[in-house]
Amino acid sequence: MGEAGGGGGGEGLKKRRGCGCSCTKNDFLPEESFQSWSNYINALKETPTRFFEHVTSRSLEQTELNEVKAMSHHEMKKTINWWDLMWFGIGAVIGAGIFVLTGLEARDQAGPAVVLSYVISGVSALLSVFCYTEFAVEIPVAGGSFAYLRVELGDFVAFIGAGNILLEYVIGNAAVARSWTSYFATLCNHQPNDFRINVGHLNEDYRHLDPIAVVVIAIVCVLVILSTKGSSRFNYIASIIHVLIIVFIIIAGLTKAKAKNYSDFAPYGVRGIFHASAVLFFAYIGFDAVSTMAEETKNPGRDIPIGLVGSMLFTTAAYCLMAITLCLMQDYKDIDVDAPFSVAFQQVGMGWAKYVVALGALKGMTTVLLVSAVGQARYLTHIARTHMMPPWLAQVNERTRTPVNATIVMMVASAIVGFFTSLDILSNLLSISTLFIFMMVALGLIVRRYYVSGLTTGANRNKLVVCILVILGSSIAIATYWGLSQHGWVGYVISLPIWFVATLAINILVPQAREPKIWGVPLMPWLPSLSILLNIFLMGSIDKDSFI
C-alpha cells in the first residue's frame, strides 16, 4: 500500500484564504478538473489512473492533523475535558433505544432474556469503544472513523465509510426525533400517533407525517450552532437529570416486580436473543460521535479514554438493570412496543409514574439529538475538508467557531427522513450501517498496529493480509451459517477454529510495527479481531429484508 500526503483530491488540499462564510464556485467545485470543459474531459480520461491511486494510497497522520484541518479556515475551540466527554457519551447513547426498542425486542424476539441481548450488544460496543479510543487519542481530528479509515485503509475505503457514517447519523437523528414525538404524546395523555398527520394513501411505514420531529431537530440545530461548550453544559445538566430518572425507574419498578414474569426466561431461544442484540445495538450507538470531539478536547490522551470507556460501562449497566426491571414488572407478552415503561407503570397501578418516565425519555432523546448533531457535523466537516464533499461544508464560522454549514445540511436531511419514516425501518437500517463502520474501524486498528509503510517487510505484509482475509472470511461464514441454519452446529465447529487460528497467526507470526504513543488497546490483536467477528455476526442476525 502506498501513502500519499493528500489523498482527498491532490490540489484540493491547498489551504485557502478568506473568511469562513464564503459561498463561491470554489467553495463547491474547487478542483482544477472543474475550471474548464477541457480540464473536465482530461480528468475523465484519467479516471482509471486516479481510481487506482485512491484505492492503493493512504493519507498521513500529519496530513489529517495539519493540512486537512487547515481547510476549515478557523480552528475549533479546545474547550472539552473528560467530564464533558463522559456526559456527552451518556447523553449520546441513552435515548430511544432503551425507552422504545427494549419493549419491541422483549415482546417479539427475546422475552425477559432481552437483558442478555443487551449484554452481547454491550460487549460488542465496548470492544468498538476501545478501538475508537486508541484512534481518537492518536489522531485527534473531527473526522472520527472517516479520518481513521483514510489513514489506515485508504481513500476508497474511507469513501465507502463516509457514506455509511452520514447514513448512520441521518437515520439515527430521524429515528430519535420520531421517538421524541411518541413520548411527548404520552406525556400529554395521547396515543403516539395522535400528534402525527395521517396520509392514508401512502405506504403504512411512511404515512404518519411527523412535524414535531422536524421542529425538535431545528431547535437542536440552533443550539449546536451557537456553541459547543454551551451544548456541553446543557447536555450534562440534562443527562444528570436523566440519570436520576433512570434510578427512579429501576427502584420504583423493582418494588412492583413479580418473579413469575421471569418464569419463561428465553421463549424465543438463543436465536431470538442474538436477533434482538443486533437490533438493540442501535441503543449503543452515539459514542462514535464523542470521538469526533477529539479536535476540541484539551488533553486527548487523558480525557478521551476516561470519557469514552467510563460512559460505555455506565450505559451498559443502566441498560441491563432497566431491561430486568421492565420484564419483572410486566409479562413480556403484554409489553407495549411504543411506550413500554410508561405503560408498564400504568399497568401496575403507578399511572403517575408514566409522566416521570416520559419526561426522562424526552430528556434522553434530546441529549442524543444534541450530541449526534455535534458529531455528524464534525464528520461532514472533515469529509468536506478532503473534498469528497464540497469544501463549503468544511467551513468553520469565525464567530462561533462551529461548523455551521455542515450542521444545517445534516439536520435538514435528518428532518426530511424523520418527517416520513417509521422507527422500525430506521432502527434496522441504522444497526447495519453502524455495525459495518465499527467492523471497519477494528480492521483499521489491526492494520495500524501491524503495518507501517517502509518498515514492515513484504513477507510480513503478505502474512497480515492473508490473516485478515481469513478473519473476515471465517466471520462472514459464521454469520451466514447462523442465518441459514436453524439448528446446525457443524459450520461453527469449522469456522470458529479458523478465526482463532488466523488471529493467533497474527499474534505469533507478524511483529507489531507500531506501538501506541499514549493509550492503546490491550490484548492485540484479539480484541479488535473479536470486534470484527461480533459486528459481522450481529449484522448476520438482522432479518434479510433490512438489507434490501
Side-chain angles (χ1 to χ4, degrees):
M1 286 184 261
E3 304 212 15
E11 68 275 6
L13 285 180
K14 295 176 182 177
K15 183 177 180 180
R16 295 182 298 129
R17 301 179 186 275
C19 72
C21 302
S22 61
C23 191
T24 65
K25 177 186 174 183
N26 282 338
D27 289 315
F28 294 90
L29 300 171
E31 311 294 341
E32 289 293 329
S33 310
F34 296 105
Q35 301 309 309
S36 67
W37 280 106
S38 60
N39 287 0
Y40 186 70
I41 292 171
N42 289 332
L44 286 177
K45 293 177 182 178
E46 297 172 1
T47 298
T49 304
R50 288 187 172 193
F51 178 76
F52 180 77
E53 288 176 355
H54 285 301
V55 169
T56 57
S57 66
R58 304 188 299 168
S59 181
L60 299 171
E61 285 184 35
Q62 290 307 311
T63 301
E64 299 296 311
L65 291 169
N66 297 312
E67 296 176 42
V68 174
K69 192 162 70 171
M71 294 297 297
S72 290
H73 304 164
H74 305 286
E75 289 196 9
M76 301 180 193
K77 291 180 181 178
K78 291 186 178 294
T79 58
I80 305 298
N81 56 32
W82 68 268
W83 177 258
D84 299 312
L85 289 174
M86 187 174 71
W87 286 107
F88 263 128
I90 293 171
V93 176
I94 302 179
I98 186 64
F99 285 107
V100 178
L101 292 180
T102 304
L104 178 65
E105 297 307 309
R107 194 189 71 174
D108 297 340
Q109 297 295 340
V114 70
V115 63
L116 299 182
S117 301
Y118 270 119
V119 170
I120 294 168
S121 297
V123 169
S124 181
L126 187 60
L127 293 174
S128 296
V129 164
F130 281 133
C131 297
Y132 268 85
T133 300
E134 178 169 335
F135 270 122
V137 169
E138 298 278 308
I139 312 174
V141 294
S145 53
F146 169 76
Y148 313 152
L149 295 179
R150 193 163 176 261
V151 168
E152 299 305 334
L153 301 180
D155 277 351
F156 182 68
V157 173
F159 177 77
I160 296 173
N164 278 274
I165 291 165
L166 298 181
L167 176 67
E168 170 193 335
Y169 277 98
V170 168
I171 292 175
N173 275 355
V176 175
R178 288 187 70 91
S179 296
W180 201 100
T181 301
S182 297
Y183 267 90
F184 181 67
T186 301
L187 192 63
C188 299
N189 281 321
H190 284 267
Q191 294 301 310
N193 283 327
D194 285 357
F195 290 165
R196 297 187 176 115
I197 302 169
N198 189 9
V199 182
H201 63 274
L202 293 179
N203 182 280
E204 173 63 29
D205 293 320
Y206 303 95
R207 69 174 54 164
H208 299 290
L209 308 185
D210 197 335
I212 292 179
V214 176
V215 173
V216 171
I217 287 174
I219 294 171
V220 169
C221 178
V222 171
L223 181 60
V224 169
I225 285 173
L226 292 176
S227 169
T228 301
K229 188 63 179 179
S231 300
S232 172
R233 288 176 182 143
F234 174 84
N235 170 74
Y236 67 68
I237 291 172
S239 295
I240 289 172
I241 297 172
H242 190 201
V243 168
L244 293 175
I245 292 174
I246 288 174
V247 172
F248 163 79
I249 291 172
I250 294 169
I251 295 174
L254 289 178
T255 63
K256 300 293 183 179
K258 296 179 181 178
K260 68 177 183 179
N261 290 333
Y262 251 52
S263 58
D264 189 8
F265 183 69
Y268 301 99
V270 175
R271 185 168 295 274
I273 293 172
F274 276 101
H275 178 88
S277 68
V279 176
L280 290 174
F281 198 84
F282 169 85
Y284 285 98
I285 66 166
F287 66 81
D288 54 324
V290 180
S291 72
T292 68
M293 299 174 199
E295 191 171 314
E296 298 159 90
T297 301
K298 295 177 181 178
N299 185 353
R302 180 199 65 184
D303 297 338
I304 292 173
I306 296 174
L308 274 175
V309 177
S311 60
M312 183 53 60
L313 290 174
F314 174 86
T315 299
T316 302
Y319 279 179
C320 291
L321 289 172
M322 290 183 72
I324 291 170
T325 301
L326 178 65
C327 292
L328 281 174
M329 288 175 66
Q330 195 173 22
D331 189 284
Y332 75 91
K333 295 186 288 293
D334 300 326
I335 291 175
D336 182 84
V337 296
D338 290 312
F341 287 94
S342 294
V343 174
F345 274 109
Q346 203 165 9
Q347 293 298 318
V348 297
M350 296 177 66
W352 58 270
K354 74 175 185 179
Y355 299 108
V356 179
V357 174
L359 182 63
L362 288 177
K363 283 188 173 294
M365 292 172 198
T366 303
T367 56
V368 167
L369 283 172
L370 181 73
V371 181
S372 294
V374 172
Q376 69 184 8
R378 281 141 186 81
Y379 268 123
L380 185 56
T381 297
H382 200 79
I383 292 169
R385 285 168 173 174
T386 68
H387 291 194
M388 289 189 188
M389 295 288 283
W392 180 78
L393 296 168
Q395 295 176 5
V396 172
N397 185 272
E398 184 175 5
R399 184 176 64 84
T400 65
R401 295 299 177 95
T402 58
V404 174
N405 300 342
T407 303
I408 293 174
V409 167
M410 289 297 289
M411 297 306 272
V412 167
S414 296
I416 292 171
V417 175
F419 186 61
F420 289 100
T421 314
S422 66
L423 179 65
D424 53 347
I425 290 178
L426 292 173
S427 60
N428 279 350
L429 285 172
L430 184 59
S431 289
I432 294 169
S433 177
T434 305
L435 288 164
F436 176 77
I437 288 296
F438 290 175
M439 181 271 293
M440 294 301 294
V441 170
L443 175 60
L445 184 61
I446 293 177
V447 173
R448 177 175 180 80
R449 287 286 199 95
Y450 290 92
Y451 176 81
V452 174
S453 180
L455 180 62
T456 304
T457 65
N460 286 333
R461 178 197 61 202
N462 294 338
K463 285 185 284 187
L464 178 64
V465 169
V466 170
C467 290
I468 286 175
L469 291 175
V470 173
I471 288 172
L472 290 173
S474 58
S475 299
I476 292 171
I478 292 168
T480 303
Y481 190 74
W482 172 266
L484 297 178
S485 175
Q486 295 290 324
H487 305 291
W489 52 270
V490 177
Y492 307 125
V493 172
I494 297 173
S495 300
L496 275 171
I498 292 175
W499 168 84
F500 180 85
V501 169
T503 307
L504 183 64
I506 294 178
N507 191 40
I508 295 175
L509 302 178
V510 184
Q512 286 198 41
R514 189 198 318 258
E515 292 290 336
K517 302 183 187 75
I518 303 173
W519 191 95
V521 173
L523 301 177
M524 286 292 294
W526 294 100
L527 289 190
S529 180
L530 182 59
S531 180
I532 292 171
L533 172 62
L534 282 176
N535 286 323
I536 292 177
F537 181 78
L538 290 176
M539 275 193 280
S541 299
I542 298 174
D543 61 271
K544 64 179 184 299
D545 293 337
S546 298
F547 289 88
I548 300 174

